[in-house]
Amino acid sequence: MIRVLIADDEPLITAGIRTVLESDAGIEVVAEAADGRTAVELARAHRVDVAVLDLNMPELDGLSAVRELPGVPVVILTAFGVEPNVRRAIRQQVAGFVLKNCTPDELIRAVHAAHAGKAYLSPEVARLVLDMVGTGDDGRRESAAARLAALSPREAEVLGLLAEGLSNADIGAKVHMSEATIKTYVSRILSKLDCANRVQAALLARDGLG
C-alpha cells in the first residue's frame, strides 16, 4: 500500500485528488494539508511514501517543500507547465510534474512511478523539457544513434512519437494499435535503451533521431 499525502489550498481539488487516488486499491491517502509548511510536517509525521503537492500554496510552495522532504518522492501538481516552473522542478529532482487537467489514470500512474523510484511528466511537460534541452552536440548524437540502432523499425517509430510528448493512447491511435500494446512497446524500448523512464528515452530520441 502506497501511503500518500495530498497538499492543495483548495479543498474541492483536494477532495477530488483523494477520490481519484483512493480509487486505486494500492494507494491510501493518509494526510491532507492546505499549505506547504503543514504538508512538510504531516509528511514527516505520517512517514508517507509519496507526497502530491500543489505548486502554488501559502507558507511554502510545492517546489520549496521538496527541499525539506529529502527521501520522499514528490509529485508536483500545477495548472500550467510554464518553463520557469519546469526548470525549478528539474533542479529539485521532483519525481513527477503533472498538470491539473490530467486524466485520473495519469495521476495514479505518476504516484506509482514516484513510489517505484521513476520519474513521470505529463506529456505536455515532457514536450516542454525537450524544447528546453534542444539538440545535442555531434558526439552525443553519435552515441545516441548507436544506442537507438538496437531498436526495431516499429520500436523506433513508437519512440519517435513518445519523443513528441504523446501519451500511450495517442501513440496507439497514430499507429493503429491498442494502448496496452503500446505500453508493452514502451517497456521494451526502455529496457533496450537502458533508460529509467520516458523522459530519458525521449531525450535520447531527440539526440539520435533528430
Side-chain angles (χ1 to χ4, degrees):
M1 186 68 71
I2 304 173
R3 296 166 53 82
V4 176
L5 170 137
I6 302 169
D8 195 295
D9 60 347
E10 298 184 50
L12 187 61
I13 291 180
T14 299
I17 295 171
R18 173 187 279 274
T19 298
V20 167
L21 293 182
E22 291 195 332
S23 70
D24 185 286
I27 295 175
E28 177 186 10
V29 176
V30 297
E32 297 178 2
D35 65 78
R37 178 56 59 196
T38 302
V40 170
E41 294 171 355
L42 290 177
R44 292 170 177 167
H46 289 270
R47 297 183 179 182
V48 300
D49 298 312
V50 177
V52 178
L53 309 180
D54 184 22
L55 177 63
N56 298 307
M57 292 185 291
E59 303 296 333
L60 199 66
D61 68 48
L63 290 177
S64 296
V66 174
R67 292 197 297 269
E68 301 196 26
L69 291 172
V72 178
V74 173
V75 174
I76 291 293
L77 277 174
T78 181
F80 306 101
V82 294
E83 184 172 324
N85 292 336
V86 175
R87 287 187 183 279
R88 283 186 65 201
I90 292 172
R91 287 198 298 270
Q92 295 291 352
Q93 297 183 324
V94 301
F97 196 99
V98 181
L99 300 185
K100 286 186 176 179
N101 65 355
C102 71
T103 65
D105 282 348
E106 187 176 337
L107 180 56
I108 290 171
R109 286 199 302 271
V111 169
H112 277 283
H115 185 248
K118 300 177 181 178
Y120 186 92
L121 300 180
S122 285
E124 297 92 336
V125 178
R127 190 178 300 116
L128 179 57
V129 170
L130 293 174
D131 290 341
M132 287 162 47
V133 172
T135 56
D137 57 28
D138 289 342
R140 196 166 67 198
R141 285 197 294 269
E142 290 177 4
S143 175
R147 291 172 66 183
L148 294 174
L151 301 181
S152 70
R154 177 63 84 179
E155 289 168 345
E157 180 184 16
V158 170
L159 177 60
L161 294 171
L162 182 154
E164 293 178 15
L166 274 64
S167 66
N168 288 349
D170 291 335
I171 295 172
K174 287 270 190 182
V175 299
H176 308 293
M177 291 184 180
S178 70
E179 183 176 356
T181 299
I182 297 302
K183 183 178 180 180
T184 300
Y185 266 101
V186 171
S187 296
R188 190 183 308 152
I189 289 167
L190 295 182
S191 177
K192 283 188 175 183
L193 298 180
D194 193 26
C195 290
N197 53 61
R198 296 168 69 97
V199 177
Q200 289 183 5
L203 293 174
L204 189 65
R206 176 60 63 93
D207 287 339
L209 299 178

